[in-house]
Structures are given as C-alpha cells and as structure tokens.
Amino acid sequence: MELDTRAYNDYIASLFAPQDAALTETLAEMEREGVRRINVSATEGKLLQILALAIGAKRVLEIGTLGGYSGIHFARALPEDGRLITLEIDPHHAEVARRNFERAGVEHKVEVRIGPASETLRQLAAAGEPPFDLIFIDADKDGYPEYLRQSLPLLREGGLLLGDNTLPDAVLTGEDSGTKRYNAAVAERAELTTVLIPILRQHGIDGLTVSLKRTPVV
Ligand SMILES: C[S@@+](CC[C@H](N)C(=O)[O-])C[C@H]1O[C@@H](n2cnc3c(N)ncnc32)[C@H](O)[C@@H]1O
C-alpha cells in the first residue's frame, strides 16, 4: 500500500516553507506557459536553500532550470555578489525562468545557459571557471552518470553535490536507470561522503542524494 504522504508534506510545508508572492507567481507563470510542474517541492526547495547557506555558497551550478523555482531558492541563499549558473536545454523553459528570476529580484545573481548540459559542462571546464561550492543535478535522468563525471572536477573541496529524484521505483524493482547508476557511482567515489535522503512528495517518496567532496571518512 502506498503511503499517503500528502498530510505530512503539507504539515512540514505550512510550518517551514511558506510560499511568498514570487514563488507562487513562478508556479502560476509555469502553469500559464504550459511548463510541466516537475520542480522540487516547497520543502525540498527550502532544504536546498539551507544546504547552500550552511556551506556559505557563493557559486552554485544547477543542471536543469525548468521555470526557475529551485533556482530562486538557491539565488536567495547567495550573497549579493554570488552567482548561480543554471543549465537548460529548452529555450522556452529558459525564457520563463528568466522572467521568474526577474520577478523574484534575483536576476543579477543568475545566468541561464541554454543547450545540452553535457556540452555546456564541457564549455565551463574548458573556460577554466572558478570552482563551484554546490552543484545540483536535476535534468534528464539518463544523463546523471555523465553529469557526475563532468561535475566533480568543477566542485571545490568541501563542496556539495546534490542529485535529485534518486529514489525511483527502479530501486525497488531492480530495473536499470540513470539515477540508480548515479547512486552506485557516487557510492564508489572515494572523494565523496554520501547519503541518500528520502524526500516526501504530495504522492509518495522520492530522494535527494547528498554528497560532500572531501578526504574519505568511514
Ligand atoms: C526536473 S526539471 C528541473 C526542475 C528545476 N530544477 C526545479 O526544481 O525548479 C528538468 C529540466 O531539465 C531540462 N533538461 C532535460 N534534459 C536536459 C539536458 N540534456 N540538458 C539541459 N537541460 C535538460 C528539462 O528541459 C527541464 O526543464
């Protein structure tokens, strides 16, 4: 029997993740523009924000912008001179996200780069970008293992690597999936200390894989 998570999720969200006008409008704008609501939940957004604040992040890289909902949470965690670079393959999503970043008043901290993430990641590496404090992977699930390989060199020592939607049905059914391969790959990386946190959704449970890049600990 599937756990009815709605009441738990609503309780946590109402206490700890109230939505202000900018966040509510972001979701409304996505609805108006026909952008699927596959963004993180309000409580997961708050968790992402806390993680960025906890490590004093100044530079965040997001793979998978959609309408900018998670991006607003990150941008708000950054200091005025901080930077969020967010990668998106769909120009329409990017355009909606840019409007939402503007409405939220964080556009000066955010750069949306359009194109396949693996190509943009290659460009970032080639350009010798300064390292990122936090990298959030939330795009096409098949791409996760490759994004892991490309992202790690871009992450500073002590930085956080976050992979979203990593507790899919495949974990239980035994089927292969990009996120399952991602979990297996991060578990094997000696420079990552990792745990998968179950995340409540309106319906059921998903997961966020949280990896800290540092000297190995047991
Ligand atoms: C789950 S949504 C991102 C949600 C967003 N992080 C949030 O919580 O508000 C995934 C996004 O990744 C984008 N995407 C899919 N494949 C991609 C690729 N190869 N490169 C870059 N972006 C991609 C999709 O167009 C979509 O907007």
Side-chain angles (χ1 to χ4, degrees), residues 38-40 62 64-66 69-70 88-89 93 117 138-140 147:
I38 50 172
N39 49 275
V40 297
E62 176 179 65
T65 314
L66 194 68
Y69 185 79
S70 55
E88 176 55 55
I89 197 168
H93 291 179
D138 189 19
D140 54 311
Y147 301 148

Side-chain angles (χ1 to χ4, degrees), residues 54-195:
I55 62 164
K58 284 190 83 173
R59 288 176 53 78
V60 172
L61 175 64
E62 176 179 65
I63 305 174
T65 314
L66 194 68
Y69 185 79
S70 55
I72 291 173
H73 288 83
F74 282 126
R76 286 177 168 177
L78 296 173
E80 277 306 300
D81 61 345
R83 196 103 193 120
L84 166 67
I85 298 182
T86 179
L87 316 185
E88 176 55 55
I89 197 168
D90 184 323
H92 179 56
H93 291 179
E95 180 199 317
V96 172
R98 282 189 181 121
R99 277 207 296 278
N100 286 328
F101 289 134
E102 265 173 43
R103 189 184 295 107
V106 295
E107 75 282 3
H108 56 294
K109 302 182 197 175
V110 183
E111 191 182 328
V112 185
R113 296 210 186 171
I114 301 173
S118 55
E119 180 52 35
T120 313
L121 287 166
R122 244 192 308 277
Q123 289 166 5
L124 287 170
E129 279 278 332
F132 291 93
D133 303 300
L134 186 153
I135 300 179
F136 178 52
I137 304 178
D138 189 19
D140 54 311
K141 307 310 166 201
D142 284 346
Y144 274 37
E146 175 65 4
Y147 301 148
L148 167 67
R149 196 189 62 73
Q150 290 183 291
S151 293
L152 264 186
L154 300 173
L155 186 66
R156 76 157 159 89
E157 177 90 13
L160 283 175
L161 178 69
L162 310 176
D164 199 31
N165 308 119
T166 50
L167 195 55
D169 293 344
V171 170
L172 300 178
T173 61
E175 285 167 26
D176 187 34
S177 73
T179 46
K180 201 170 169 183
R181 276 182 277 123
Y182 175 85
N183 286 334
V186 290
E188 275 181 9
R189 289 275 189 165
E191 73 271 47
L192 295 178
T193 300
T194 300
V195 72

